[in-house]
Amino acid sequence: MMTFSVSGFSASNENTPSANQKVRRWYDTDPILLEVINLMALAKEEAKTYATKLINGVEAQVAPEVLAKVVARLEDPNRPQNRWYDKEPVLAKAMELLQLMPPEAQRVAALQFIDALKAKQSPAAYGILKEVFNLADAQAEEAELVKDEAQLG
């Protein structure tokens, strides 16, 4: 049985970025995980299928108190509701479980999604998804730099 502790909900030292890195989201510390989260946002139907498999696999291996904690977080009326995955219950639950996993398990799950997406998509379609992600990521970084420069200057 895979063990996830309830304390896994707090920030992990293994994922703690260096002082000069700017991290806003829990998945920003791992480039593979970041890519997969963004690809999931672009390929929502594939993400839902994958999320269901992830939930089933994780639920079979974690302690009941951890699952209860995840459900409580999902039912919390004060939890964020503006993220792309908050509108789909299966995606929201999968993201909560993914966040709970140790970094090594997160990476394995991320690589499994990439493999599943590549198998379902043609190489060209997968390449287009990656390019859309790369473009959006570059635009977000540029906007963040402009914002930071405006605040400094």
Side-chain angles (χ1 to χ4, degrees), residues 79-143:
R79 80 178 176 90
Q81 297 290 317
N82 57 342
R83 300 168 299 190
W84 65 268
Y85 52 85
D86 288 325
K87 316 269 183 295
E88 290 288 337
V90 70
L91 291 175
K93 186 172 186 179
M95 293 298 285
E96 291 290 332
L97 289 170
L98 193 58
Q99 182 177 1
L100 168 67
M101 293 176 165
E104 306 81 33
Q106 288 175 343
R107 182 164 274 230
V108 168
L111 293 171
Q112 288 174 346
F113 178 74
I114 289 174
D115 290 344
L117 191 58
K118 282 181 180 177
K120 185 168 182 160
Q121 303 281 336
S122 69
Y126 179 75
I128 289 168
L129 278 175
K130 278 193 61 105
E131 284 306 311
V132 169
F133 158 68
N134 290 337
L135 179 61
D137 193 41
Q139 288 173 343
E141 284 180 22
E142 186 176 318

Side-chain angles (χ1 to χ4, degrees), residues 25-80:
R25 301 164 302 198
W26 60 271
Y27 50 85
D28 283 340
T29 57
D30 184 338
I32 299 280
L33 192 57
L34 175 62
E35 177 182 356
V36 165
I37 300 297
N38 284 296
L39 287 173
M40 287 175 75
L42 295 171
K44 287 188 177 118
E45 288 307 310
E46 289 85 351
K48 286 185 214 174
T49 301
Y50 175 72
T52 301
K53 291 177 184 176
L54 178 73
I55 290 167
N56 292 338
V58 171
E59 284 182 341
Q61 298 184 38
V62 299
E65 63 270 9
V66 174
L67 292 176
K69 184 79 169 178
V70 169
V71 169
R73 283 178 63 159
L74 291 170
E75 293 174 349
D76 180 359
N78 296 320
R79 80 178 176 90

